[in-house]
């Protein structure tokens, strides 16, 4: 069975879940008016990037991939496979509200949970409630984020890299449905990205395909824009991303798309210290 119609084969799912619960029987998070509530968002899905918002509330982003950032208030955010965000919600709106996470690719019904205020007469949000933040407002962009700590030297400086990889991400086209490439190669028939200890390594990526790719590096945090992350989501249709990391953890490390069926179909490389 195929779905999505975005140039790739999207695996079919019975349903999308928050905390292991289907939308018909959602997780309920109880809060009290006046509390500040931290939602720790983790996307462990195999092949689903979510657009997420909470009805009646804004989200203050405080951490990206576990790294502290200057707080940014948004109405919604995208979270790719492997990404993590911590957000703080000010509980000032008694009642019951829908937390909704819509798939960006494919057409599975959204994942859903409920934020319920203690003592509220309203036990369930109105059926079919869609948070305002999924219809408009401010959606988090990486460019909005700045590290709350000074970045480790020498990543703090905008220094020139010792080594640069320019990588095109492609696949999922008519002739190659189900095949995914990094710079024309499919893992395991792919050259390792060879680096040396102590180097500042830059990776520039361009997405030639029609699907999202959350690209994840093992063993290192990298600098992208003003923050440290280990996973960066590339938008389809010529989306770009770049990151720098310091080669300070010798070994053989995996670098791959966190969409697990893209990974399985070749979208990976080894980063190898030589
Ligand atoms: Cu991918």
């Amino acid at each position: 069975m195929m779905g999505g119609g975005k140039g790739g084969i999207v695996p079919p799912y019975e349903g999308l879940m928050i905390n292991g619960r289907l939308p018909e029987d959602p997780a309920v998070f109880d809060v009290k008016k006046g509390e500040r509530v931290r939602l720790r968002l983790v996307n462990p899905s195999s092949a689903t990037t979510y657009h997420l918002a909470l009805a009646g509330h804004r989200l203050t982003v405080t951490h990206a991939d576990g790294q502290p950032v200057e707080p940014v208030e948004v109405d919604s955010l995208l979270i790719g496979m492997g990404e993590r965000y911590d957000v703080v919600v000010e509980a000032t709106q008694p009642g019951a509200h829908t937390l909704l996470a819509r798939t960006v690719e494919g057409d599975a019904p959204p994942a859903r949970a409920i934020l319920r205020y203690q003592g509220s007469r309203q036990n369930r949000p109105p059926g079919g409630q869609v948070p305002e933040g999924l219809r408009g407002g401010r959606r988090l962009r990486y460019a909005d984020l700045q590290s709350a700590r000074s970045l480790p030297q020498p990543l703090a400086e905008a220094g020139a890299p010792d080594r640069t990889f320019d990588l095109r991400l492609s696949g999922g086209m008519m002739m190659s449905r189900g095949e995914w490439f990094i710079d024309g190669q499919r893992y395991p028939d792919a050259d390792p990205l060879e680096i040396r200890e102590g180097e500042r390594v830059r990776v520039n990526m361009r997405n030639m395909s029609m699907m999202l790719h959350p690209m994840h590096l093992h063993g290192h945090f990298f600098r992208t824009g003003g923050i440290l992350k280990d996973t960066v989501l590339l938008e389809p249709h010529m989306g770009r991303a770049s990151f720098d990391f310091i080669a300070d953890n010798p070994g053989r490390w995996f670098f791959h798309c966190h969409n697990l069926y893209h990974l399985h179909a070749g979208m990976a490389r080894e980063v190898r210290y030589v």
Side-chain angles (χ1 to χ4, degrees), residues 93-111:
Q93 306 292 327
H97 305 271
T98 304
L99 176 69
L100 209 65
R102 268 187 184 156
T103 177
V104 178
E105 297 170 319
D107 46 19

mmCIF file of all heavy atoms in Angstrom, residues 93-111:
data_model
loop_
_atom_site.group_PDB
_atom_site.id
_atom_site.type_symbol
_atom_site.label_atom_id
_atom_site.label_comp_id
_atom_site.label_asym_id
_atom_site.label_seq_id
_atom_site.Cartn_x
_atom_site.Cartn_y
_atom_site.Cartn_z
ATOM 1 N N GLN A 93 -5.547 29.128 30.796
ATOM 2 C CA GLN A 93 -6.811 29.031 30.047
ATOM 3 C C GLN A 93 -7.630 27.830 30.500
ATOM 4 O O GLN A 93 -7.682 26.823 29.803
ATOM 5 C CB GLN A 93 -6.517 28.887 28.537
ATOM 6 C CG GLN A 93 -5.621 29.945 27.942
ATOM 7 C CD GLN A 93 -6.282 31.303 27.911
ATOM 8 O OE1 GLN A 93 -7.508 31.394 27.743
ATOM 9 N NE2 GLN A 93 -5.505 32.354 28.104
ATOM 10 N N PRO A 94 -8.274 27.920 31.681
ATOM 11 C CA PRO A 94 -9.004 26.755 32.199
ATOM 12 C C PRO A 94 -9.934 26.151 31.149
ATOM 13 O O PRO A 94 -10.512 26.864 30.334
ATOM 14 C CB PRO A 94 -9.807 27.338 33.358
ATOM 15 C CG PRO A 94 -8.983 28.486 33.825
ATOM 16 C CD PRO A 94 -8.349 29.064 32.579
ATOM 17 N N GLY A 95 -10.036 24.837 31.215
ATOM 18 C CA GLY A 95 -10.846 24.107 30.245
ATOM 19 C C GLY A 95 -10.078 22.892 29.790
ATOM 20 O O GLY A 95 -9.199 22.402 30.499
ATOM 21 N N ALA A 96 -10.432 22.398 28.623
ATOM 22 C CA ALA A 96 -9.743 21.255 28.033
ATOM 23 C C ALA A 96 -9.359 21.625 26.610
ATOM 24 O O ALA A 96 -10.159 22.232 25.888
ATOM 25 C CB ALA A 96 -10.625 20.020 28.055
ATOM 26 N N HIS A 97 -8.115 21.303 26.245
ATOM 27 C CA HIS A 97 -7.534 21.800 24.985
ATOM 28 C C HIS A 97 -6.858 20.668 24.236
ATOM 29 O O HIS A 97 -6.255 19.778 24.846
ATOM 30 C CB HIS A 97 -6.516 22.897 25.280
ATOM 31 C CG HIS A 97 -7.073 24.028 26.088
ATOM 32 N ND1 HIS A 97 -7.674 25.121 25.522
ATOM 33 C CD2 HIS A 97 -7.137 24.207 27.433
ATOM 34 C CE1 HIS A 97 -8.077 25.942 26.479
ATOM 35 N NE2 HIS A 97 -7.763 25.413 27.651
ATOM 36 N N THR A 98 -6.905 20.769 22.920
ATOM 37 C CA THR A 98 -6.323 19.719 22.072
ATOM 38 C C THR A 98 -4.876 20.029 21.741
ATOM 39 O O THR A 98 -4.558 21.126 21.274
ATOM 40 C CB THR A 98 -7.115 19.612 20.755
ATOM 41 O OG1 THR A 98 -8.487 19.367 21.058
ATOM 42 C CG2 THR A 98 -6.583 18.484 19.879
ATOM 43 N N LEU A 99 -4.002 19.047 22.003
ATOM 44 C CA LEU A 99 -2.635 19.076 21.484
ATOM 45 C C LEU A 99 -2.668 18.219 20.224
ATOM 46 O O LEU A 99 -3.006 17.033 20.282
ATOM 47 C CB LEU A 99 -1.669 18.482 22.510
ATOM 48 C CG LEU A 99 -0.207 18.345 22.085
ATOM 49 C CD1 LEU A 99 0.460 19.710 21.945
ATOM 50 C CD2 LEU A 99 0.570 17.487 23.088
ATOM 51 N N LEU A 100 -2.363 18.831 19.082
ATOM 52 C CA LEU A 100 -2.506 18.122 17.812
ATOM 53 C C LEU A 100 -1.176 18.116 17.081
ATOM 54 O O LEU A 100 -0.486 19.136 17.019
ATOM 55 C CB LEU A 100 -3.573 18.816 16.959
ATOM 56 C CG LEU A 100 -4.360 17.931 15.979
ATOM 57 C CD1 LEU A 100 -5.205 16.906 16.722
ATOM 58 C CD2 LEU A 100 -5.249 18.780 15.070
ATOM 59 N N ALA A 101 -0.841 16.951 16.522
ATOM 60 C CA ALA A 101 0.396 16.800 15.753
ATOM 61 C C ALA A 101 0.015 16.197 14.401
ATOM 62 O O ALA A 101 -0.302 15.015 14.301
ATOM 63 C CB ALA A 101 1.388 15.910 16.497
ATOM 64 N N ARG A 102 0.035 17.058 13.403
ATOM 65 C CA ARG A 102 -0.362 16.639 12.054
ATOM 66 C C ARG A 102 0.838 16.154 11.271
ATOM 67 O O ARG A 102 1.902 16.769 11.343
ATOM 68 C CB ARG A 102 -0.901 17.854 11.289
ATOM 69 C CG ARG A 102 -2.362 18.053 11.400
ATOM 70 C CD ARG A 102 -2.749 19.186 10.455
ATOM 71 N NE ARG A 102 -4.162 19.484 10.597
ATOM 72 C CZ ARG A 102 -4.695 20.649 10.285
ATOM 73 N NH1 ARG A 102 -3.941 21.631 9.819
ATOM 74 N NH2 ARG A 102 -5.987 20.831 10.421
ATOM 75 N N THR A 103 0.640 15.140 10.476
ATOM 76 C CA THR A 103 1.722 14.697 9.624
ATOM 77 C C THR A 103 1.905 15.708 8.485
ATOM 78 O O THR A 103 0.938 16.260 7.968
ATOM 79 C CB THR A 103 1.482 13.269 9.087
ATOM 80 O OG1 THR A 103 2.530 12.938 8.207
ATOM 81 C CG2 THR A 103 0.167 13.140 8.367
ATOM 82 N N VAL A 104 3.154 15.963 8.153
ATOM 83 C CA VAL A 104 3.452 16.923 7.093
ATOM 84 C C VAL A 104 3.420 16.216 5.737
ATOM 85 O O VAL A 104 3.090 16.810 4.720
ATOM 86 C CB VAL A 104 4.835 17.581 7.334
ATOM 87 C CG1 VAL A 104 5.199 18.551 6.223
ATOM 88 C CG2 VAL A 104 4.848 18.290 8.678
ATOM 89 N N GLU A 105 3.774 14.933 5.724
ATOM 90 C CA GLU A 105 3.725 14.130 4.503
ATOM 91 C C GLU A 105 2.745 12.989 4.745
ATOM 92 O O GLU A 105 2.674 12.453 5.837
ATOM 93 C CB GLU A 105 5.106 13.563 4.184
ATOM 94 C CG GLU A 105 6.122 14.656 3.902
ATOM 95 C CD GLU A 105 7.556 14.145 3.814
ATOM 96 O OE1 GLU A 105 7.941 13.287 4.618
ATOM 97 O OE2 GLU A 105 8.275 14.633 2.947
ATOM 98 N N GLY A 106 2.031 12.587 3.702
ATOM 99 C CA GLY A 106 1.067 11.515 3.879
ATOM 100 C C GLY A 106 -0.239 12.063 4.411
ATOM 101 O O GLY A 106 -0.405 13.276 4.585
ATOM 102 N N ASP A 107 -1.180 11.165 4.676
ATOM 103 C CA ASP A 107 -2.525 11.631 5.025
ATOM 104 C C ASP A 107 -3.106 10.904 6.236
ATOM 105 O O ASP A 107 -4.308 10.818 6.394
ATOM 106 C CB ASP A 107 -3.455 11.488 3.813
ATOM 107 C CG ASP A 107 -3.288 10.128 3.142
ATOM 108 O OD1 ASP A 107 -2.748 9.214 3.813
ATOM 109 O OD2 ASP A 107 -3.681 9.978 1.976
ATOM 110 N N ALA A 108 -2.238 10.377 7.098
ATOM 111 C CA ALA A 108 -2.745 9.716 8.310
ATOM 112 C C ALA A 108 -3.410 10.758 9.211
ATOM 113 O O ALA A 108 -2.971 11.906 9.267
ATOM 114 C CB ALA A 108 -1.591 9.040 9.044
ATOM 115 N N PRO A 109 -4.479 10.369 9.923
ATOM 116 C CA PRO A 109 -5.107 11.309 10.867
ATOM 117 C C PRO A 109 -4.093 11.766 11.916
ATOM 118 O O PRO A 109 -3.226 10.993 12.311
ATOM 119 C CB PRO A 109 -6.223 10.484 11.514
ATOM 120 C CG PRO A 109 -6.448 9.327 10.609
ATOM 121 C CD PRO A 109 -5.140 9.068 9.906
ATOM 122 N N PRO A 110 -4.197 13.021 12.385
ATOM 123 C CA PRO A 110 -3.196 13.555 13.306
ATOM 124 C C PRO A 110 -3.144 12.812 14.634
ATOM 125 O O PRO A 110 -4.148 12.265 15.093
ATOM 126 C CB PRO A 110 -3.644 14.998 13.538
ATOM 127 C CG PRO A 110 -4.926 15.189 12.838
ATOM 128 C CD PRO A 110 -5.218 13.992 12.010
ATOM 129 N N ALA A 111 -1.959 12.835 15.250
ATOM 130 C CA ALA A 111 -1.821 12.361 16.625
ATOM 131 C C ALA A 111 -2.424 13.431 17.536
ATOM 132 O O ALA A 111 -2.404 14.620 17.228
ATOM 133 C CB ALA A 111 -0.349 12.145 16.950
#
